Amino acid sequence: MGGPGPVGAAKPVAVAKVAVAPVGAASVRPAAVPGSDPAGADRPFDDPTGTGEIREPRSEIRRQAREKRRLKVAALILATLLVLGALPLFFGIRAATRDPVFSALDELSVPQWAATQVEDDVYGSRWCLIECRFRERTVESAQGAEPTAQAYQQALTEDGWKTWQIKPCPEQPVEGHYTCWRRDELTLDLWVRPPTCATEPLDARPTVEPTEPEGAPASPGVEPPPCDGAVVSIKVRNAIDDDRIKPQPSTDPSLTGVDPEPLFTDDPLSELTAPPS
């Protein structure tokens, strides 16, 4: 048994072993201590779940959110401008191409039965370049000529048209109701007449039932198709282009002179002698 060591001898010290990483190996980054890096919230960091995904910083997320809001606001403003600008543009183009006279005729307060079918025709220049514009509208009415004429005459009066008493109105006798009107720089001819089926010769002929042999059952006669309603013609001209307003040539004999009376003389052929027989 050995005794204790000499007094004053040094005791052995335990040496800690430090593991040294091999050269070229990836260095291990120490874990960040919370609160030690205030700017760490703005740097990407590893996913603690271990999936390997990298999260974006908060400042980048906020920037993308602001960009999305700007795009949404810009799209909303653009859509609003398109809606608000498309309607005025549409009505402006329509007003530029649509004749205002037809628009005024559309606003006449006539019953619905008096305008079951409308057809417009126009030619000439709206600004009277070379030739003034002539407008014609043909309308079919579900009722007869008498109530249809009253409805249109009342509507024209309410719209500011005045009856125009002029001699060639119409220029030749026609069937139905023919009246002339004036308003501002326009003249209007209104002609309300029965439909064409009422004046067709084939429809006006009496129906003759065919003769059947004796003992055969009588066949019912063929009835003509119904012919009701009326047709309305509206013609609108510029007053400066209406021949009924232009001055007509005078027929004063002092300006044209007097035609001389013809003089009759003896027949010159009577003096010729007849050829010998």
Side-chain angles (χ1 to χ4, degrees):
M1 176 179 297
V7 179
K11 296 182 179 180
V13 179
V15 179
K17 295 182 179 181
V18 179
V20 180
V23 179
S27 60
V28 179
R29 185 178 60 183
V33 180
S36 62
D37 188 5
D42 294 337
R43 297 198 305 267
F45 54 90
D46 297 337
D47 188 0
T49 57
T51 58
E53 298 179 356
I54 299 177
R55 297 181 179 178
E56 294 182 356
R58 297 178 182 175
S59 60
E60 183 67 18
I61 295 176
R62 289 194 296 268
R63 187 185 66 80
Q64 293 180 1
R66 287 194 299 269
E67 290 295 333
K68 291 180 179 179
R69 285 196 298 269
R70 292 196 193 99
L71 291 176
K72 290 181 180 179
V73 172
L76 181 60
I77 294 175
L78 181 61
T80 304
L81 292 177
L82 289 177
V83 172
L84 296 179
L87 292 178
L89 181 62
F90 169 74
F91 288 110
I93 296 176
R94 181 181 178 183
T97 56
R98 176 70 171 172
D99 196 306
V101 175
F102 288 129
S103 300
L105 294 179
D106 293 337
E107 298 176 357
L108 291 177
S109 57
V110 294
Q112 187 175 1
W113 53 263
T116 56
Q117 186 174 354
V118 180
E119 181 179 355
D120 294 334
D121 190 15
V122 60
Y123 65 87
S125 173
R126 179 175 171 182
W127 293 274
C128 286
L129 299 177
I130 301 178
E131 184 181 7
C132 289
R133 176 159 290 189
F134 178 82
R135 312 159 183 90
E136 184 174 7
R137 166 170 290 190
T138 304
V139 185
E140 294 185 3
S141 174
Q143 297 191 15
E146 187 70 27
T148 303
Q150 294 179 0
Y152 274 91
Q153 292 174 7
Q154 181 179 356
L156 290 174
T157 303
E158 294 176 355
D159 196 43
W161 291 86
K162 304 295 182 181
T163 55
W164 185 25
Q165 303 295 337
I166 191 171
K167 185 176 181 181
C169 178
E171 297 180 357
Q172 57 185 359
V174 294
E175 185 180 3
H177 302 269
Y178 200 106
T179 54
C180 297
W181 304 75
R182 285 199 64 177
R183 191 186 71 174
D184 300 334
E185 74 281 2
L186 300 175
T187 64
L188 183 147
D189 290 24
L190 175 65
W191 182 21
V192 184
R193 60 193 184 277
T196 56
C197 60
T199 58
E200 290 181 358
L202 295 179
D203 294 338
R205 293 184 306 176
T207 303
V208 179
E209 298 183 0
T211 57
E212 299 291 343
E214 297 181 0
S219 59
V222 179
E223 297 182 358
C227 185
D228 301 328
V231 179
V232 182
S233 294
I234 301 176
K235 301 178 181 180
V236 183
R237 304 180 182 90
N238 291 71
I240 60 175
D241 195 52
D242 198 327
D243 295 336
R244 295 170 295 185
I245 298 179
K246 296 179 180 180
Q248 301 295 330
S250 176
T251 57
D252 189 355
S254 62
L255 299 178
T256 59
V258 180
D259 295 336
E261 297 181 357
L263 299 178
F264 297 98
T265 59
D266 296 336
D267 188 3
L269 297 179
S270 62
E271 297 179 357
L272 297 177
T273 58
S277 56

